[in-house]
Amino acid sequence: MIGRRLSSAAKKLDVVVVAARYAPDGNLALAQVYERRGQVWTDLVLFDREDLVQRLRAGKRVAAGVPAQVPGDFEVRESVRLSGVNGRAVVRAEGATSTTDDLRVPAF
């Protein structure tokens, strides 16, 4: 791994979601994420829906992806946005068309 560089996408992100668990009503219950803290990434941590919404509202750059071979690097699949549907906030990946939370990552 000597000489490998991080992807430019991983350098620009604040949170990478790698797996999710949904409640029966379709809302996000928990998400497994890596979060940037300065120049380093945390170990895998759990965010509930409010933690993720809070970071999105704060303007953090959030994406769905998978860890790459190089520690601290990720294969970014889609960015995650907060949007309004029928007067309520919905957390979903770009391109998702559902009316409930949809991060387009594997379930855990």
Side-chain angles (χ1 to χ4, degrees):
M1 287 199 221
I2 294 176
R4 287 197 170 176
R5 296 182 184 262
L6 296 179
S7 67
S8 61
K11 292 177 185 177
K12 297 177 184 177
L13 296 173
D14 297 306
V15 176
V16 177
V17 180
V18 295
R21 180 175 293 162
Y22 298 94
D25 64 359
N27 281 334
L28 179 68
L30 287 173
Q32 291 181 338
V33 305
Y34 291 93
E35 184 175 30
R36 178 184 293 281
R37 303 257 171 100
Q39 294 296 318
V40 298
W41 289 90
T42 62
D43 289 333
L44 192 62
V45 294
L46 292 176
F47 277 9
D48 63 14
R49 185 176 193 280
E50 282 305 311
D51 289 335
L52 193 57
V53 168
Q54 177 185 8
R55 280 157 179 84
L56 287 165
R57 285 191 174 144
K60 299 292 183 181
R61 295 161 297 194
V62 180
V66 295
Q69 286 184 336
V70 177
D73 196 12
F74 302 91
E75 285 181 34
V76 176
R77 298 205 172 135
E78 299 169 278
S79 42
V80 174
R81 302 274 184 241
L82 189 61
S83 59
V85 174
N86 298 328
R88 66 179 196 88
V90 176
V91 179
R92 59 183 171 191
E94 296 259 333
T97 58
S98 71
T99 58
T100 60
D101 295 344
D102 184 5
L103 296 177
R104 300 178 114 180
V105 294
F108 74 98

